[in-house]
Amino acid sequence: MEMNFDSSILVKLLFLQCLSVICAAQDFDFFYFVQQWPGSYCDTKQSCCYPTTGKPPADFGIHGLWPNYKDGSYPSNCDSSNSYDQSKISDLISRMQKDWATLACPSNSGSNFWSHEWDKHGTCSESVLDQHSYFKTALNLKSQIDLLQILQSAGINPDDGFYSLSSIQKAIRNAIGFTPGIQCNVDESGNNQLYQIYICVDNSGSNLIQCPVLPNGKCASTVEFPSF
C-alpha cells in the first residue's frame, strides 16, 4: 500500500522545529545587571573572606548579568557544552579582580564565582553574547553606572548611617532615568541594610530600560548603608 504525504506539511514541521531551537537559544526578555555592596555582604552572621588578591575596593561590585523573563522567572544553566574558560577572558581578569571580586569563603581567586555566573546565567545569553562579550558587557555597565558616586552625590554615604529606601531609589532614578530594584539583607544585630541594586538592560546588553518586573527586595522603609 502506498502512503501519500503532503510535502508542505513536512516543510512546515521542519520550519517549526528550527524556529523552536532559535527561540530557545534567544528566549529571554531582558537582563538584570546586579551590583552588591561588599560591606553588607560581609556584615552578616556568615561574614566573608577577602579574595587572594586582597581586600576589594570600597565600592559596589558586580554580582552578575542575569537573563530574565518579564514574569519574573529566569532561564538557567542553558548549555553544559559551553563551560567557563578563563583563557577566553584573560585580558579582562585584572578588571574583574577589581570590579567583580569574590567575597565567598574560603578565600579564593574569584574564578569559581565567575565560572558559576557564566555557567548558570551567561550560557542563557550566548545567542547574543559569547563568553568574552558577556563579561566585558558587565564590566562596561559597571563603568557606565557608578552607583557609589551617584549615592554620595545625593548625600547617601557608606558610613553606617540609616537612609530611607525611597531616597536611595530616587537618587539612582534621577541619575540613570529608570527605577532600580533594591535588595536588602540583615546584619548581625538584625538591622536591614542596603545589599544589592538591580538595574535592567535590554536583551542585547546595550541599553538601560525600565524594569518589566522588580525583585522582592525584603527592605524596610529605612536601611543601613554600612562601611567597608
Side-chain angles (χ1 to χ4, degrees), residues 35-37 40-41 60 183-185 193-197:
Q35 296 187 63
Q36 63 185 12
W37 179 247
S40 300
Y41 184 104
F60 283 89
Q183 184 179 13
C184 299
N185 65 0
Q193 54 187 4
L194 176 63
Y195 176 41
Q196 298 198 126
I197 296 177

Side-chain angles (χ1 to χ4, degrees), residues 55-127:
K55 183 180 178 180
D59 192 8
F60 283 89
I62 299 169
H63 186 171
L65 183 63
W66 303 340
N68 232 75
Y69 298 125
K70 289 179 179 178
D71 66 1
S73 63
Y74 61 90
S76 64
N77 302 100
C78 295
D79 187 359
S80 60
S81 68
N82 187 10
S83 297
Y84 174 75
D85 181 353
Q86 192 152 304
S87 67
K88 293 180 178 179
I89 56 168
S90 56
D91 62 311
L92 302 176
I93 294 301
S94 61
R95 288 178 68 188
M96 290 171 65
Q97 288 170 340
K98 172 178 171 287
D99 292 337
W100 203 328
T102 180
L103 290 166
C105 296
S107 179
N108 64 92
S109 66
S111 59
N112 290 342
F113 183 22
W114 305 327
S115 175
H116 168 80
E117 290 301 310
W118 169 256
D119 291 343
K120 182 176 181 179
H121 301 287
T123 54
C124 299
S125 66
E126 61 186 12
S127 62

Side-chain angles (χ1 to χ4, degrees), residues 135-155:
F135 288 102
K136 187 176 181 180
T137 295
L139 290 167
N140 289 346
L141 286 167
K142 168 77 171 70
S143 298
Q144 177 186 342
I145 308 164
D146 189 339
L147 288 175
L148 184 59
Q149 183 180 36
I150 289 169
L151 292 176
Q152 289 182 319
S153 295

Side-chain angles (χ1 to χ4, degrees), residues 75 176 203 217 220:
I176 69 171
N203 61 7

Side-chain angles (χ1 to χ4, degrees), residues 8-50:
S8 66
I9 294 176
L10 179 60
V11 170
K12 288 176 182 176
L13 287 171
L14 289 172
F15 174 76
L16 288 171
Q17 184 178 19
C18 291
L19 188 64
S20 68
V21 171
I22 294 169
C23 287
Q26 298 178 329
D27 188 20
F28 69 99
D29 298 319
F30 68 98
F31 287 103
Y32 276 137
F33 175 56
V34 186
Q35 296 187 63
Q36 63 185 12
W37 179 247
S40 300
Y41 184 104
C42 292
D43 189 11
T44 60
K45 287 182 180 179
Q46 68 179 31
S47 191
C48 68
C49 294
Y50 297 155

